[in-house]
Amino acid sequence: MLSRTVLRNIFGASRGGFPCRAWNYSESVSNANHREKENLTGRDLEKHELRPLYMDFQATTPMDPRVLDAMLPYQVNYYGNPHSRTHAYGWESERAVEMARKQVADLIGADPREIVFTSGATESNNMSIKGVARFYKSRKKHVVTTQTEHKCVLDSCRALEAEGFDVTYLPVKSNGLVDLEQLEETIRPDTSLVSVMTVNNEIGVKQPVKEIGSGRVCRSKKVFFHTDAAQAVGKIPVNVNEWNVDLMSISGHKIYGPKGVGALYVRRRPRVRLDPLQSGGGQERGLRSGTVPTPLVVGLGAACEIAQQEMQYDHRRISMLADRLLGKIMAGIPDVVMNGDPEKRYPGCINISFAYVEGESLLMALKDVALSSGSACTSASLEPSYVLRAIGTDEDLAHSSIRFGVGRFTTEDEVDYTAEKCIQQVKRLREMSPLWEMVQEGIDLKSIKWTQH
């Protein structure tokens, strides 16, 4: 393990049990009118200013120090190309890569030969959707997905539509879950692939993946089933054979591993064929050419092994902290709505709408807590979340939503502080809101006819 001094040098001083560090501040805003927006779009921290508490674990997770410990030797000492078969440097790296492949496979109940290393879940999703659709295009030209998938899945499907494929975007129910009967009816004789994510990255709902992969829906109709499990692997028990999953996307940085690495599970029996996205040396079973980055892959393997060992403890602790956060906020302020199914969900992802409060204003008010109003991939947009729109959330509530992420390194003090600050700032913002004042007077806002001047 790394010494305490080395870790302190890497991460800096800690506040509330989480890495903090003072950064040099440089004023980059030339116009004072842009400063409000700059608070959200990014700025440097002032000298001696502490970094905010981190409550955005769905966007990314900090690397577990044990993962860094496993990676460091392959950054410095064991630097051979894992595809060099003629000397010891290559053999050392190849052994490490194959060990990591087994660690990933063990976490999801797969065979190590079914694991393909990629740069992350976005690449894995692209490979799955485009690769399967293009390989079977002579016989099958239809793909099914849902309206609440990650943006890279939706954009991959749009790319297929431009190539002449037919894509069905299934709506979801108001609790965020897909309707199995509707999904079954949507599958056609020319359907090649169904893609439904395991745990949603914005509202945390857990789709009935086992039922989708079952003989009733996909397997009996000889349709391949892909699931984006970036938010699920390492957090909930996953078994590709029990779920009858044919392709599964995995991300390293969502499970306390390094950024820039992920994996794709590709079933061998019954065999799944896909066209590779990139050409080259034919590494990774010819599906993903390019030199496998040994340090990153070792880090992913270590993160998977730690997740497997500590999953029950982490899940129990995260559930407790999430319940504590939600309970305090719900008890402290009225007109608070949790988005998504209250039972079939991953507890560490909590999406809450605060009525009569603008979400972006609340984020700015909570500047000492790192939160988001939706997916990190679309957070630059001020449009309401397409996931919340898909579950039928009113536009005003969709604009007032905040996503709270609880993870392995979250402390009780951080949860209490976040809840108290949230209650305090929501009350303050509501006091300034004319809509809140009208509601307190008993006026039904939906009965008002607004006119534009």
Side-chain angles (χ1 to χ4, degrees):
M1 288 293 293
L2 292 175
S3 70
R4 186 177 301 234
T5 307
V6 173
L7 287 175
R8 183 172 292 276
N9 288 337
I10 293 171
F11 291 127
S14 175
R15 183 180 87 169
F18 195 80
C20 297
R21 186 175 177 182
W23 283 30
N24 289 330
Y25 173 79
S26 61
E27 179 62 50
S28 61
V29 185
S30 59
N31 192 327
N33 292 331
H34 291 160
R35 284 183 181 170
E36 287 292 310
K37 186 177 179 182
E38 196 70 18
N39 284 332
L40 278 180
T41 57
R43 66 177 181 84
D44 292 336
L45 295 175
E46 292 183 16
K47 193 174 183 180
H48 305 307
E49 181 183 356
L50 289 173
R51 298 173 76 189
L53 303 180
Y54 191 73
M55 297 288 284
D56 198 16
F57 279 81
Q58 273 63 54
T60 193
T61 58
M63 192 189 295
D64 192 301
R66 292 168 291 183
V67 172
L68 179 64
D69 206 26
M71 291 172 62
L72 281 176
Y74 296 93
Q75 295 277 23
V76 181
N77 297 326
Y78 306 115
Y79 46 81
N81 186 320
H83 313 294
S84 297
R85 300 290 173 84
T86 58
H87 51 72
Y89 288 85
W91 303 334
E92 290 166 349
S93 295
E94 185 185 23
R95 273 197 300 272
V97 167
E98 294 311 311
M99 172 57 72
R101 202 184 302 277
K102 184 178 184 306
Q103 289 168 321
V104 176
D106 288 346
L107 181 60
I108 62 172
D111 186 300
R113 293 171 295 177
E114 297 174 312
I115 302 300
V116 174
F117 289 119
T118 67
S119 64
T122 291
E123 184 184 356
S124 298
N125 287 337
N126 273 265
M127 284 175 63
S128 302
I129 294 163
K130 294 174 182 174
V132 168
R134 288 169 180 167
F135 189 90
Y136 296 96
K137 67 182 177 182
S138 61
R139 291 180 288 121
K140 298 185 173 187
K141 299 277 285 185
H142 182 228
V143 173
V144 180
T145 188
T146 75
Q147 295 176 1
T148 56
E149 296 298 302
H150 191 275
K151 193 173 185 297
C152 66
V153 170
L154 297 176
D155 283 358
S156 294
C157 289
R158 290 190 190 101
L160 290 178
E161 285 183 295
E163 296 175 19
F165 288 87
D166 188 10
V167 179
T168 298
Y169 300 93
L170 272 179
V172 293
K173 296 182 284 189
S174 59
N175 61 358
L177 298 176
V178 70
D179 186 323
L180 288 173
E181 288 186 7
Q182 189 179 18
L183 173 59
E184 192 176 358
E185 291 167 2
T186 306
I187 295 176
R188 311 187 317 215
D190 67 335
T191 303
S192 61
L193 183 73
V194 169
S195 180
V196 179
M197 73 196 312
T198 309
V199 172
N200 188 271
N201 57 304
E202 287 196 35
I203 57 177
V205 296
K206 190 162 56 176
Q207 297 289 356
V209 175
K210 190 173 182 179
E211 289 78 2
I212 295 170
S214 69
R216 176 187 152 197
V217 183
C218 287
R219 185 57 62 90
S220 64
K221 299 179 188 295
K222 296 184 177 178
V223 173
F224 292 125
F225 177 36
H226 164 255
T227 184
D228 174 3
Q231 298 287 349
V233 168
K235 299 174 184 177
I236 62 172
V238 171
N239 190 297
V240 291
N241 293 310
E242 289 179 7
W243 290 5
N244 288 315
V245 169
D246 298 300
L247 302 116
M248 178 180 283
S249 302
I250 300 168
S251 173
H253 74 104
K254 305 292 188 188
I255 54 172
Y256 311 94
K259 293 171 179 62
V261 68
L264 175 62
Y265 161 78
V266 184
R267 184 176 289 280
R268 285 168 62 90
R269 290 189 178 86
R271 189 179 181 189
V272 181
R273 307 289 297 275
L274 56 153
D275 271 358
L277 293 185
Q278 60 191 41
S279 305
Q283 293 91 340
E284 297 300 283
R285 289 169 48 193
L287 299 177
R288 204 274 184 182
S289 293
T291 302
V292 172
T294 308
L296 296 180
V297 163
V298 166
L300 174 61
C304 287
E305 184 174 40
I306 292 166
Q308 189 171 15
Q309 293 168 353
E310 302 186 358
M311 188 183 300
Q312 284 188 337
Y313 173 79
D314 278 352
H315 195 276
R316 191 166 58 246
R317 184 172 174 278
I318 287 168
S319 298
M320 179 272 292
L321 291 173
D323 289 345
R324 185 184 182 108
L325 176 67
L326 193 59
K328 281 179 175 287
I329 291 175
M330 292 281 198
I333 40 178
D335 298 299
V336 174
V337 179
M338 186 174 76
N339 298 303
D341 192 279
E343 301 297 328
K344 296 174 181 175
R345 63 183 302 106
Y346 169 65
C349 180
I350 308 162
N351 192 298
I352 303 177
S353 291
F354 300 90
Y356 320 113
V357 171
E358 181 65 42
E360 305 296 337
S361 302
L362 183 55
L363 281 180
M364 289 165 62
L366 294 169
K367 62 180 184 297
D368 48 357
V369 182
L371 297 163
S372 78
S373 57
S375 166
C377 306
T378 55
S379 63
S381 169
L382 293 178
E383 290 296 311
S385 158
Y386 67 87
V387 173
L388 295 181
R389 285 205 303 256
I391 65 174
T393 306
D394 289 341
E395 187 156 333
D396 54 344
L397 278 177
H399 271 293
S400 69
S401 71
I402 299 288
R403 184 183 66 182
F404 298 83
V406 178
R408 181 180 292 167
F409 301 116
T410 306
T411 65
E412 289 185 21
D413 287 344
E414 287 176 330
V415 165
D416 292 344
Y417 180 84
T418 300
E420 288 162 14
K421 287 290 286 186
C422 187
I423 293 167
Q424 174 190 337
Q425 294 301 332
V426 168
K427 286 180 176 177
R428 183 181 69 84
L429 290 169
R430 281 179 176 172
E431 283 173 7
M432 297 189 294
S433 169
L435 297 179
W436 176 250
E437 189 178 335
M438 293 164 73
V439 169
Q440 297 305 104
E441 292 172 0
I443 299 171
D444 182 6
L445 296 181
K446 292 184 179 178
S447 67
I448 298 175
K449 292 184 179 178
W450 304 96
T451 57
Q452 189 172 2
H453 295 283

